Amino acid sequence: MSDSSLIVVSKLNKSVVDATGQLQILCDIDFSLNTRETVAIVGASGSGKSTLLAIIAGLDKPTSGTVHILNTDLFSLKEDDRAALRAKHLAFVFQSFQLLGSLTALENVMLPLELAGDSHAKKTATEMMRRVGLQDRLHHYPKVLSGGEQQRVALARAFVVSPAILLADEPTGSLDHATGQSVLKLMMSLNKELGTALILVTHDLQLSQQCQKIWVMEQGCLSLQSH
């Protein structure tokens, strides 16, 4: 295992039992991801992309295999310890934004900082809102923001904690093409600036071209695709 590897996945398998018998969702997946690397995982719906992301985050457990995050064996940890590692080193962006409707845009961005006990949460979050171009939307609630604005708030919330790893699951899936391209460009810019490693799950091959590497997920198996 390389000391520079933020994520190392080895012999990862995931299977479940349904009415038809055992269903293999992930098959012997191996990869590593280093600092500042950007990877797109593409594939059809149901190919296992989101399951893989959930296991990397420690939100789901594999049937067998290991995931190391910053040289820590994720599934050797108790659930609370996995949550603590996730809060400290990982951030997420989802297709559905996952903003809290009862909080303003600024309060949504402040939340992970406040949970971490950051005494400068408001100042740091305000600056991040400025960097995503929403300095005039600080006190607006999600319901009055456009989809693109909500996703930029979600990006600000993800990057405000300076994560080592960003996991993005179809982050532009609910946006029109032009807005999606704008959001993706912003995400890539922040990723480069802050030195975060990125795993982007998408079914959009055009969006995947923005990443350094493209991995194809097909029937639970992962393979490298050349640009």
Side-chain angles (χ1 to χ4, degrees):
M1 184 187 305
S2 168
D3 290 340
S4 65
S5 296
L6 295 179
I7 303 174
V8 178
V9 173
S10 181
K11 303 297 181 186
L12 199 69
N13 287 274
K14 175 70 175 181
S15 60
V16 296
V17 177
D18 63 12
T20 63
Q22 183 167 292
L23 176 65
Q24 192 74 22
I25 300 174
L26 300 176
C27 309
D28 278 335
I29 290 178
D30 293 281
F31 70 82
S32 62
L33 188 70
N34 296 326
T35 303
R36 297 182 182 273
E37 279 193 312
T38 60
V39 172
I41 301 178
V42 300
S45 296
S47 60
K49 304 187 304 296
S50 294
T51 299
L52 176 59
L53 217 60
I55 290 175
I56 292 170
L59 298 169
D60 193 3
K61 290 185 177 181
T63 305
S64 62
T66 59
V67 176
H68 285 79
I69 304 290
L70 285 88
N71 292 316
T72 298
D73 184 347
L74 192 58
F75 296 104
S76 70
L77 301 176
K78 295 180 180 178
E79 191 169 336
D80 286 350
D81 294 328
R82 283 202 305 273
L85 183 146
R86 186 164 52 241
K88 186 174 182 180
H89 298 297
L90 276 71
F92 305 85
V93 181
F94 300 97
Q95 177 176 340
S96 56
F97 316 135
Q98 301 283 5
L99 300 178
L100 295 177
S102 60
L103 301 181
T104 65
L106 178 61
E107 289 168 342
N108 268 281
V109 178
M110 288 172 60
L111 186 59
L113 294 170
E114 291 179 326
L115 291 174
D118 189 331
S119 59
H120 303 290
K122 185 173 183 179
K123 180 180 178 182
T124 304
T126 300
E127 170 60 17
M128 184 56 72
M129 285 286 284
R130 183 194 66 76
R131 290 166 78 177
V132 301
L134 292 176
Q135 61 270 23
D136 297 329
R137 295 287 191 269
L138 298 179
H139 305 298
H140 290 63
Y141 288 89
K143 66 181 180 181
V144 300
L145 299 176
S146 70
E149 287 172 334
Q150 290 186 64
Q151 194 58 297
R152 282 192 280 162
V153 174
L155 286 180
R157 182 182 59 188
F159 281 106
V160 77
V161 295
S162 298
I165 301 159
L166 178 67
L167 304 176
D169 194 357
E170 300 282 5
T172 62
S174 60
L175 305 175
D176 64 77
H177 181 73
T179 304
Q181 286 285 358
S182 174
V183 166
L184 185 68
K185 183 177 180 181
L186 175 62
M187 184 171 68
M188 291 298 187
S189 175
L190 288 169
N191 187 78
K192 185 176 181 180
E193 180 183 343
L194 298 177
T196 302
L198 168 68
I199 298 180
L200 167 68
V201 163
T202 182
H203 65 274
D204 189 326
L205 289 173
Q206 188 173 359
L207 293 184
S208 71
Q209 298 292 330
Q210 307 294 319
C211 293
Q212 295 166 338
K213 296 178 181 177
I214 300 174
W215 295 336
V216 179
M217 181 76 83
E218 189 171 5
Q219 296 182 329
C221 298
L222 199 62
S223 61
L224 179 65
Q225 174 181 302
S226 300
H227 270 285

